[in-house]
Amino acid sequence: MGGRKCDPFCYLAAILFFGSGVIRTVLFDQPISSAAFEYKSWIEMDGYYIKQQWTGQRSLIMVLWATYSAMHVLGWVIVATILFRFAWIQSANGTTKIGVNGTIAFLGATTAIVELVVRMLFHGSSHAQSWIAESFTLDKWYALEDMSSGEVDRIGWKTLEVVSIASTGFLIWADTIEYMALVVILVLMHNSTTVAGSLFSKSWAFFGVLIACLNVFDIAAEILRFQEWQLFGHIAMYLSSANQIFIFPIWLIWMGVQLAAVPKMNQSVEVPDDLALDE
């Protein structure tokens, strides 16, 4: 691919996925709070420990997570437009293989919208929770008979932590939906390029199928996190990092080289028999 031009949108999407993947990988084991993390205290909902976690939040880490989400969503929005172009080209300007190519475009747009909505909800909720932790009274909500005037129940902090954990579930399932949609998209793109007269390389399409296989393992690891959080959480991170930082950007740049060459090709030839109109 040396010396060849690359479609700027594919190049930009590759940069965004690479950058967001690096940020996500760096932040994976970085706690949001400056207070030491203690798993036992966390699952036991120790009020004093939870209060320390919320009051010790590091704003830089939160900004970096928001930056990651913005880059990731923008990357998917650009990929959605690229998939529309691919579908249009492979369908001979909307006249052949409409079902397969239309599904590719639809799934790309749907994934971008899901990522946008879920991450907006998550970060909006996170900022609201941080504001509650800073400004609201969370130490003592109930006047219990067996508590002296100086004691606190910290029910507010425990409630805030439960809400935070529940809202994080948005991201886990959003990532799973993203990987599942990408698997279907890549398999359909391979199917679309197997016909005679395709303007896209079969080797590139097969590389996409390999990425789809990697995503299947990633989906399994994401689901198994609920059985063994730390083990499968790390496995899912390693798989998604390898995919997002290296493999998927390479696939996008390879696609960009082919897209950049498409306008130079003579497309005034007859439509091959393999691309006959769907009945």
Side-chain angles (χ1 to χ4, degrees):
M1 292 186 293
R4 298 183 184 179
K5 291 183 179 180
C6 179
D7 181 81
F9 290 99
C10 289
Y11 191 66
L12 178 58
I15 291 174
L16 288 170
F17 278 106
F18 173 82
S20 62
V22 170
I23 293 174
R24 182 171 179 253
T25 303
V26 170
L27 292 177
F28 180 66
D29 282 326
Q30 292 293 322
I32 294 179
S33 176
S34 57
F37 179 75
E38 297 177 10
Y39 183 75
K40 187 173 184 296
S41 299
W42 180 53
I43 62 174
E44 290 180 352
M45 282 289 157
D46 182 278
Y48 178 76
Y49 166 77
I50 292 173
K51 179 180 179 180
Q52 283 186 314
Q53 290 293 311
W54 279 98
T55 55
Q57 282 190 338
R58 297 188 289 176
S59 58
L60 176 61
I61 300 296
M62 297 183 67
V63 169
L64 288 174
W65 273 115
T67 302
Y68 156 75
S69 292
M71 293 177 67
H72 190 72
V73 169
L74 182 57
W76 260 108
V77 170
I78 296 174
V79 166
T81 65
I82 294 169
L83 293 177
F84 267 102
R85 291 167 59 193
F86 171 88
W88 181 254
I89 293 169
Q90 284 297 104
S91 65
N93 299 340
T95 58
T96 63
K97 292 288 184 180
I98 297 174
V100 171
N101 292 297
T103 303
I104 292 171
F106 172 77
L107 287 176
T110 301
T111 305
I113 293 171
V114 169
E115 284 288 331
L116 175 63
V117 172
V118 168
R119 293 188 186 279
M120 286 182 64
L121 289 172
F122 173 75
H123 286 290
S125 175
S126 294
H127 285 294
Q129 292 162 18
S130 297
W131 173 57
I132 292 172
E134 293 175 0
S135 307
F136 285 63
T137 300
L138 302 174
D139 282 313
K140 189 173 183 178
W141 283 6
Y142 300 102
L144 301 178
E145 295 181 357
D146 57 345
M147 292 179 61
S148 62
S149 58
E151 290 184 300
V152 293
D153 52 30
R154 299 190 178 90
I155 296 296
W157 296 107
K158 298 177 183 180
T159 304
L160 185 62
E161 182 66 14
V162 170
V163 172
S164 176
I165 294 171
S167 63
T168 305
F170 280 115
L171 290 183
I172 296 175
W173 288 110
D175 287 341
T176 304
I177 291 172
E178 173 189 335
Y179 301 146
M180 292 175 65
L182 189 57
V183 168
V184 177
I185 288 170
L186 293 172
V187 171
L188 289 178
M189 291 177 81
H190 178 268
N191 176 268
S192 179
T193 58
T194 54
V195 298
S198 172
L199 300 176
F200 291 87
S201 164
K202 293 180 176 62
S203 299
W204 164 79
F206 181 72
F207 184 48
V209 173
L210 295 179
I211 297 176
C213 294
L214 181 63
N215 280 340
V216 170
F217 289 110
D218 205 342
I219 293 169
E222 288 284 351
I223 296 174
L224 289 172
R225 288 170 70 175
F226 293 99
Q227 298 298 321
E228 183 59 45
W229 186 266
Q230 298 205 357
L231 172 61
F232 289 105
H234 279 82
I235 292 175
M237 172 56 61
Y238 296 144
L239 290 173
S240 60
S241 294
N243 190 16
Q244 193 169 336
I245 297 175
F246 300 110
I247 304 174
F248 194 53
I250 292 173
W251 181 85
L252 283 170
I253 292 175
W254 193 350
M255 182 181 189
V257 171
Q258 297 174 87
L259 276 175
V262 165
K264 300 178 183 178
M265 295 181 178
N266 183 6
Q267 300 183 47
S268 62
V269 297
E270 295 183 3
V271 178
D273 293 336
D274 300 46
L275 291 175
L277 289 172
D278 297 332
E279 295 182 358

